[in-house]
Amino acid sequence: MKYEWRKQEKQLYDAKTTPALVTVPTQSCIMINGEGNPNDTDFSNRVSALYSVAYAVKMAYKKTAKGEYDDFAVYPLEGIWQKIENGELIKEKLRYTLLIRQPDFVGEDSVYAALERTKPRKPNPLLEEVRFGTVPGETCVQLLHIGAYDDEPVSFAKMDEFVRAHSLTRAAECHREIYLSNATRTEKSRLKTILRYRVK
């Protein structure tokens, strides 16, 4: 049986266009850090490095699977974003962590074994920066943003209003984005992105 995150974790990925609270569990991920404009080549190179490892993990798991699941769908790309300096948004002054979540039945050893196999097959110096790690569980407000990334402030304003209306407080300056669409194949007006930030 194939593990499908869209079907089996609807509470995390079936976000609506209106804000809502969600409890996000601790998650294991492969990740890579970066800085600068997400429209630059360095960003896309980091995405490529991450995906090459994600698919290597998947293929290795299919060959050796012994548990309930014999395959799994690769999770979507995510980004944790933070401004390097306070003030207006300047894309060249962004700090981010790109990540692709791993199923609970895939461990650290499997990820690093796949990473080592990937290095000679798909040479990319950025593979040296890919690592396995965990993102702590948290309570978040989330919303499904439909449209261009540059239009996200409108959706964040809705989330901020929801937080105030429910007597909550934003607990971190950074926010998380989950990219449900392929940005290279989807019109900007139809891009689907889950926006999240931690609250208390």
Side-chain angles (χ1 to χ4, degrees):
M1 183 168 65
K2 185 175 182 179
Y3 188 85
E4 300 273 4
W5 53 268
R6 283 185 182 273
K7 296 178 181 178
Q8 285 149 301
E9 298 183 75
K10 286 186 177 181
Q11 74 279 12
L12 294 178
Y13 299 103
D14 192 24
K16 309 300 182 186
T17 55
T18 53
L21 286 176
V22 60
T23 300
V24 182
T26 297
Q27 299 175 342
S28 298
C29 307
I30 53 172
M31 54 185 72
I32 186 171
N33 293 341
E35 289 187 5
N37 193 322
N39 296 311
D40 290 347
T41 303
D42 180 67
F43 178 85
S44 58
N45 288 343
R46 291 175 186 275
V47 172
S48 295
L50 209 56
Y51 268 117
S52 65
V53 177
Y55 278 97
V57 172
K58 170 186 168 71
M59 297 310 295
Y61 180 81
K62 286 181 67 175
K63 291 178 180 179
T64 60
K66 297 178 181 178
E68 179 182 0
Y69 301 103
D70 56 13
D71 191 9
F72 65 90
V74 172
Y75 280 84
L77 178 71
E78 303 187 33
I80 299 174
W81 294 90
Q82 186 164 10
K83 291 184 285 188
I84 295 175
E85 300 175 2
N86 291 329
E88 66 178 301
L89 174 63
I90 301 173
K91 290 184 179 180
E92 285 71 24
K93 295 184 178 181
L94 287 171
R95 180 180 293 119
Y96 57 84
T97 299
L98 296 173
L99 50 95
I100 297 177
R101 187 179 167 196
Q102 299 300 294
D104 292 341
F105 48 82
V106 171
E108 181 175 3
D109 291 346
S110 298
V111 168
Y112 281 116
L115 175 59
E116 291 305 313
R117 286 193 299 272
T118 303
K119 289 177 180 178
R121 294 176 182 174
K122 297 185 176 181
N124 183 338
L126 291 172
L127 288 171
E128 298 297 334
E129 299 182 35
V130 175
R131 67 189 190 279
F132 178 90
T134 57
V135 179
E138 54 192 9
T139 299
C140 299
V141 59
Q142 73 174 18
L143 175 149
L144 177 64
H145 172 79
I146 301 178
Y149 302 132
D150 287 342
D151 295 335
E152 288 179 359
V154 175
S155 290
F156 279 116
K158 294 178 182 178
M159 294 165 69
D160 293 342
E161 183 178 350
F162 175 89
V163 168
R164 289 191 295 270
H166 291 79
S167 300
L168 298 167
T169 304
R170 183 167 179 166
E173 287 299 318
C174 63
H175 73 273
R176 192 164 171 176
E177 301 186 0
I178 303 173
Y179 307 105
L180 302 180
S181 305
N182 185 328
T184 63
R185 301 177 184 175
T186 308
E187 293 180 16
K188 288 184 178 180
S189 63
R190 302 179 66 182
L191 290 170
K192 294 183 178 181
T193 309
I194 297 175
L195 306 178
R196 280 183 192 156
Y197 63 70
R198 185 161 57 92
V199 294
K200 60 183 180 179

